[in-house]
Amino acid sequence: MNIVLLGAPGAGKGTQALRMEERYKLRHISTGDIFRHHMRVQTDIGNLARSYIKKGQLVPDEVTFAIVSGALDEAGRENFLLDGFPRNLAQAEKLDEFARIDKVIDIDVDFSVLTDRICGRRSCMECGYTAHVSDLPDGTCPKCGSEMHQRIDDREETVRSRLDVYARQTAPLIDYYEKKGVLVRVSGMGSPDEVFAEIRKVLG
Ligand code: AMP
């Protein structure tokens, strides 16, 4: 099964992707995670990506696609879960030439809750766990005890630009995949368990 997860920043794609990866034994490919890894170890790609990410803009398609095609090849172009890719029409068309997509799950969340979700999000640099700051009494990771950080692009000044990029460039993909007959929508307004239960209904 080859799956794409769609949804605005803060919709909960990463949280659901971790559960789906485990439950369905899929190769989780998160372009955001790959870019953050490159930024941490300061590769040329990481340094380039940082200049876009900190402004809330998309990293250029050629760079992003090179990363995705490499990861897809490693997965044998089967049984993958794409999280954060594609993010515009050009990427979706390129992906279609490269691999078969069986299902696209759109996690649908009211725009009004996104800013608080994103600005309040804290991420663990060690294990990748994320939580809202209001659920972290001492600022350490409940999973591994490391310090939780705010991503450079989760700050309020950047979030507006990310949501704008989503509305203009990524949201049209809902239509694109609906026309192909592979789109399913789930509500992302419930708890992570509730959202995952909806996804399981769709995927079995
Ligand atoms: P994410 O963790 O998916 O929210 O991604 C964080 C940031 O990485 C995005 O705001 C973009 O700057 C960059 N990024 C992630 N995926 C893509 C993509 N498919 N195309 C271009 N830029 C991306």
Side-chain angles (χ1 to χ4, degrees):
M1 199 160 36
N2 302 338
I3 298 179
V4 166
L5 263 186
L6 273 186
K13 296 188 295 298
T15 302
Q16 295 304 321
L18 294 179
R19 291 161 185 243
M20 292 166 72
E21 176 183 22
E22 198 181 340
R23 168 77 170 74
Y24 299 104
K25 307 286 174 251
L26 300 167
R27 170 79 71 104
H28 175 201
I29 301 170
S30 157
T31 40
D33 284 352
I34 297 172
F35 284 136
R36 281 184 286 278
H37 172 76
H38 278 278
M39 290 196 287
R40 249 191 326 274
V41 299
Q42 299 190 359
T43 64
D44 289 346
I45 289 178
N47 294 333
L48 176 89
R50 178 180 285 106
S51 63
Y52 292 91
I53 289 175
K54 70 178 189 206
K55 287 187 266 180
Q57 294 171 358
L58 295 184
V59 178
D61 288 346
E62 312 80 67
V63 179
T64 305
F65 196 74
I67 277 176
V68 170
S69 57
L72 284 173
D73 276 340
E74 266 178 41
R77 303 191 193 183
E78 285 292 344
N79 280 323
F80 57 80
L81 170 61
L82 279 170
D83 158 11
F85 185 94
R87 261 180 152 97
N88 61 28
L89 210 52
Q91 292 182 2
E93 286 168 352
K94 201 89 201 270
L95 177 62
D96 277 341
E97 291 167 18
F98 203 77
R100 187 193 74 254
I101 302 300
D102 300 311
K103 273 215 171 16
V104 175
I105 300 180
D106 177 43
I107 305 181
D108 188 31
V109 172
D110 292 351
F111 251 60
S112 59
V113 304
L114 291 175
T115 304
D116 175 62
R117 277 198 190 187
I118 305 171
C119 295
R121 176 162 62 187
R122 298 293 179 271
S123 314
C124 176
M125 300 284 269
E126 289 303 317
C127 73
Y129 182 80
T130 61
H132 194 273
V133 66
S134 58
D135 298 325
L136 296 167
D138 64 358
T140 59
C141 175
K143 281 252 160 90
C144 75
S146 304
E147 214 180 314
M148 302 286 279
H149 291 263
Q150 187 178 41
R151 280 167 41 175
I152 51 166
D153 55 340
D154 279 350
R155 298 181 188 143
E156 202 162 347
E157 60 273 21
T158 315
V159 169
R160 193 190 313 246
S161 152
R162 289 171 68 199
L163 292 176
D164 186 52
V165 166
Y166 170 78
R168 284 188 297 110
Q169 301 198 46
T170 312
L173 297 183
I174 295 174
D175 233 34
Y176 177 84
Y177 286 118
E178 187 147 50
K179 287 192 179 118
K180 287 183 178 290
V182 290
L183 185 84
V184 284
R185 285 167 206 258
V186 300
S187 166
M189 293 300 286
S191 68
D193 283 347
E194 287 165 345
V195 178
F196 190 50
E198 279 209 46
I199 292 176
R200 283 204 317 270
K201 269 192 233 154
V202 170
L203 296 182

